[in-house]
């Protein structure tokens, strides 16, 4: 009797569960299909007036137009301890509606070894951002030899179920090393001691880490600081417990020095863009890939009405695009947005 009742209940419940799974999948698919544009966060130069977060937008991933007349959308004097911020990285959180941004708290006119902090920012509308400064020397003990804290980024670590912040630090005469720590739930502080995330086999300096997750593998793009000044890739299946496999080849498609790798996936396509700052030439290069290993230059397809420095790009919805263009004005020719 009990078995017959259980079977009857299962007969009723299982179709409902299948329908629920179909509904969730449909919702996720619709959410992905709702992406209609791209948001580019960047800074513009090596002066305190240029070390601030700026926005640009694109509807195709190739043509970008600056918002707010290429002026900052946040006041660096308010959000930072130095008066300037660099290297903005923006991330859409797992809930789909919260955004984290991390920036280097630094004014380059004070010297390349002058900064000790990063800024953590949080928003639900891409307009209003809460902010918290994390100064490594004040936050942790034993940091007397720390010389610089550069280019933080954030990624969700599914194994830990937490958001990981990773960045490079240099102590004394040692190399720049990419460290990590997990953020607290409020995204206002780091909850544990920084630990090395990646040290290349040659144990030389590396900075500007940028992690992309694809097909179960984390791809870490990084700059070989001071010895080649190019971009290499290391891969792993686990951010903190797996072995990093290094690709010996440089990935930039130029003989010039580059930095600030930023990688994003094109909406609805199995294509990725790797972009970077050709900083000695005042240029920015875009390359395209399908496997995150082989890249081709697509500069002829890219247009920008501004010159970015180290920044990142994420997809946004049509509603989010309208919200930020209502706030900072629509680019010329975009009146129908």
């Amino acid at each position: 009797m009990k078995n017959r009742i259980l079977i009857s209940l299962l007969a009723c419940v299982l179709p409902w569960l299948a329908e629920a799974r179909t509904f969730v999948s449909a919702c996720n698919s619709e959410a992905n299909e709702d992406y209609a544009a791209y948001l580019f966060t960047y800074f513009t130069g090596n002066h305190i007036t240029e070390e601030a977060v700026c926005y640009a937008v694109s509807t195709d991933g190739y043509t970008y137009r600056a918002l707010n007349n290429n002026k900052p959308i946040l006041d660096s004097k308010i959000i930072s301890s130095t008066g300037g911020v660099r290297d903005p990285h923006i991330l859409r959180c797992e809930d789909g509606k919260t955004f984290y941004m991390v920036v280097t708290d630094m004014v380059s006119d004070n010297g390349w070894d002058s900064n000790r902090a990063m800024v953590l920012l949080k928003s639900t509308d891409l307009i209003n951002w809460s902010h918290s400064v994390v100064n490594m020397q004040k936050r942790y003990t034993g940091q007397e030899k720390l010389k610089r804290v550069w280019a933080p980024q954030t990624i969700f670590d599914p194994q830990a179920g937490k958001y990981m912040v990773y960045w490079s630090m240099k102590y004394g005469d040692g190399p720049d090393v990419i460290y990590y720590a997990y953020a607290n739930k409020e995204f206002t502080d780091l909850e544990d001691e920084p630990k090395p995330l990646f040290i290349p086999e040659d144990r030389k300096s590396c900075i500007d880490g940028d992690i992309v997750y694809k097909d179960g593998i984390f791809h870490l793009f990084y700059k070989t600081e001071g010895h080649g000044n190019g971009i290499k890739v290391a891969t792993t299946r686990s951010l903190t417990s797996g072995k990093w496999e290094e690709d010996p080849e440089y990935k930039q498609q130029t003989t010039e020095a580059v930095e600030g790798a930023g990688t994003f996936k094109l909406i609805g396509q199995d294509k990725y863009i790797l972009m970077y700052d050709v900083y000695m030439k005042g240029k920015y290069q875009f390359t395209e890939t399908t496997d995150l290993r082989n890249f081709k230059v697509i500069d002829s397809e890219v247009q920008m009405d501004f010159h970015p420095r180290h920044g990142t790009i994420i997809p946004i919805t049509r509603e989010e695009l309208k919200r930020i263009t209502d706030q900072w004005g629509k680019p010329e020719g975009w009146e129908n947005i």
Side-chain angles (χ1 to χ4, degrees), residues 13-286:
V13 171
L14 288 176
W16 179 86
L17 288 175
E19 184 178 348
R21 285 196 298 270
T22 302
F23 175 75
V24 170
S25 298
C27 287
N28 289 338
S29 175
E30 289 170 3
N32 291 335
E33 291 175 359
D34 194 40
Y35 288 142
Y38 303 83
L39 173 62
F40 192 170
T41 60
Y42 62 95
F43 76 107
T44 60
N46 294 338
H47 186 270
I48 191 170
T49 59
E50 302 168 318
E51 291 169 322
V53 179
C54 296
Y55 275 178
V57 291
S58 171
T59 55
D60 62 5
Y62 298 94
T63 302
Y64 291 85
R65 295 292 179 260
L67 298 186
N68 200 32
N69 294 315
N70 200 30
K71 296 178 182 178
I73 57 93
L74 289 171
D75 188 340
S76 295
K77 295 188 296 297
I78 293 176
I79 66 173
S80 72
S81 64
T82 61
V85 301
R86 301 167 60 91
D87 319 315
H89 176 267
I90 189 169
L91 174 76
R92 184 189 295 273
C93 295
E94 295 295 291
D95 66 6
K97 59 186 179 181
T98 305
F99 300 88
Y100 291 162
M101 184 157 53
V102 285
V103 293
T104 305
D105 188 344
M106 179 179 179
V107 172
S108 59
D109 283 345
N110 294 336
W112 296 112
D113 293 334
S114 64
N115 84 305
R116 307 290 185 269
M118 67 176 74
V119 185
L120 309 184
L121 301 106
K122 181 178 179 179
S123 176
T124 56
D125 60 9
L126 295 171
I127 297 172
N128 301 289
W129 293 86
S130 61
H131 60 276
S132 302
V133 173
V134 180
N135 185 299
M136 295 299 160
Q137 286 186 326
K138 295 178 180 179
R139 176 70 173 81
Y140 302 102
T141 60
Q143 301 290 315
E144 294 80 13
K145 294 184 178 180
L146 178 61
K147 298 183 71 174
R148 58 197 186 202
V149 175
W150 280 1
Q153 295 206 15
T154 309
I155 188 171
F156 181 73
D157 182 354
Q159 191 171 0
K162 299 178 182 180
Y163 289 92
M164 171 190 288
V165 181
Y166 58 100
W167 69 97
S168 66
M169 291 194 292
K170 179 180 174 66
Y171 291 89
D173 296 328
D176 297 270
V177 172
I178 296 178
Y179 287 79
Y180 79 95
Y182 291 105
N184 63 10
K185 292 182 179 180
E186 296 76 23
F187 204 70
T188 57
D189 196 4
L190 304 178
E191 66 176 19
D192 48 5
E193 291 274 347
K195 300 175 183 177
L197 177 67
F198 170 73
I199 300 176
E201 292 179 2
D202 62 13
R203 307 192 73 82
K204 294 184 178 179
S205 289
C206 57
I207 65 170
D208 293 355
D210 179 47
I211 299 175
V212 182
Y213 184 73
K214 174 177 166 56
D215 299 333
I217 297 175
F218 296 95
H219 298 72
L220 170 65
F221 293 83
Y222 62 94
K223 176 192 174 186
T224 55
E225 172 72 355
H227 57 102
N229 292 6
I231 295 170
K232 288 189 174 184
V233 178
T235 57
T236 186
R237 289 189 176 275
S238 173
L239 286 172
T240 59
S241 59
K243 176 179 172 54
W244 290 96
E245 299 291 338
E246 298 178 40
D247 187 333
E249 297 181 359
Y250 281 97
K251 299 307 178 183
Q252 76 277 7
Q253 301 299 300
T254 175
T255 58
E256 303 293 339
V258 304
E259 65 183 11
T263 315
F264 66 97
K265 188 177 185 295
L266 290 172
I267 299 169
Q269 302 182 55
D270 191 26
K271 290 182 180 179
Y272 292 78
I273 302 295
L274 167 64
M275 60 184 189
Y276 40 79
D277 186 2
V278 190
Y279 60 96
M280 298 295 288
K281 294 293 184 178
K283 296 181 180 180
Y284 216 79
Q285 186 162 81
F286 278 60

